[in-house]
Amino acid sequence: MNEHGEEEEGYRGPADVVVGDRPAVTVQVQLAGNFEPISGRYVWHGRVRTLTDALGADTDLSAGTELQIAGPEGTATARITGVDLWGSHLVDGVTPPPFSRV
């Protein structure tokens, strides 16, 4: 649920992720989104787990790095915004999400 008590739409499960010219890796993602009435647009965000392990420590995964996430409903672009306490990469959506919106 979001801060307004509304259920967020999203996806949790495996997804193929591409960073730069690296080959795709399959990792677990947790993505959610909702319509923001103030901005008048749909926003989504999430968490990409074990990305450093899958791609290697030499891959640039700093804040601002763009990646492609292929989910159950298509492929979308997201931007890394940080890393959480468990080493998962936090992302904000740049394009429409890779999951269906109800």
Side-chain angles (χ1 to χ4, degrees):
M1 280 197 194
N2 63 21
E3 67 274 5
H4 304 292
E6 300 165 342
E7 195 68 30
E8 289 188 316
E9 300 167 343
Y11 171 72
R12 176 182 279 186
D16 291 334
V17 175
V18 175
V19 177
D21 59 358
R22 298 281 189 147
V25 293
T26 302
V27 295
Q28 293 293 312
V29 299
Q30 181 179 354
L31 307 172
N34 61 296
F35 179 75
E36 288 289 331
I38 292 175
S39 66
R41 63 187 191 103
Y42 188 87
V43 297
W44 64 278
H45 51 270
R47 177 175 278 115
V48 180
R49 302 187 188 282
T50 67
L51 192 57
T52 300
D53 293 341
L55 290 173
D58 62 330
T59 304
D60 179 17
L61 298 174
S62 59
T65 300
E66 286 194 355
L67 45 90
Q68 301 295 313
I69 300 173
E73 303 290 329
T75 302
T77 301
R79 186 171 292 120
I80 295 174
T81 59
V83 178
D84 67 15
L85 295 174
W86 300 273
S88 295
H89 288 83
L90 305 174
V91 297
D92 281 344
V94 175
T95 62
F99 54 86
S100 63
R101 300 182 292 186
V102 179

